[in-house]
Amino acid sequence: MLVIENGKTVAEQELFALMSAPAVPDLLRVADEPLTVKELSCRADVPLSTAYREVKRLHEASLFEKSIMVDHSDGRHVAQYHRTFERMEVSVTDDGLRIELAG
């Protein structure tokens, strides 16, 4: 099991499955600041429908944090996402693979 900073436990197998999705590494790479799903999609060069699906999964796994921004031009509320870590390390141990998130 992997414990992420907020205390949520995620099975390492679940995390590996999530990371194996083709769009996820690119979405994680560009999510160093709060961005909408549309902005993430454009910056990562990922189809918008894929971005929505993977951002939801990343948020559910606590790898993305969600914030709400008010668009002052029209008063709409817009969700923005950014990754909750700066570094991910995978190492081989006697017990199998270990994943550590830092920053």
Side-chain angles (χ1 to χ4, degrees):
M1 297 298 253
L2 168 71
V3 178
I4 299 175
E5 284 182 22
N6 68 1
K8 180 174 180 173
T9 302
V10 177
E12 289 178 343
Q13 293 85 357
E14 180 184 338
L15 186 55
F16 282 121
L18 178 60
M19 293 302 297
S20 69
V24 167
D26 291 328
L27 290 167
L28 286 169
R29 178 181 48 80
V30 300
D32 58 343
E33 63 179 319
L35 297 168
T36 65
V37 175
K38 185 175 182 179
E39 291 168 331
L40 288 164
S41 170
C42 289
R43 289 189 187 187
D45 195 25
V46 170
L48 188 57
S49 60
T50 300
Y52 272 106
R53 181 178 58 253
E54 300 305 349
V55 165
K56 179 181 180 202
R57 292 176 61 209
L58 288 161
H59 181 252
E60 289 172 349
S62 298
L63 298 179
F64 269 8
E65 185 174 293
K66 179 180 179 179
S67 58
I68 303 296
M69 178 193 77
V70 177
D71 184 339
H72 294 289
S73 66
D74 62 7
R76 290 183 311 130
H77 291 76
V78 179
Q80 294 182 313
Y81 299 86
H82 68 279
R83 66 176 183 261
T84 58
F85 62 94
E86 288 300 316
R87 190 176 72 242
M88 177 184 288
E89 294 181 10
V90 179
S91 55
V92 179
T93 69
D94 291 340
D95 297 325
L97 294 175
R98 177 185 170 104
I99 301 169
E100 292 183 45
L101 303 178

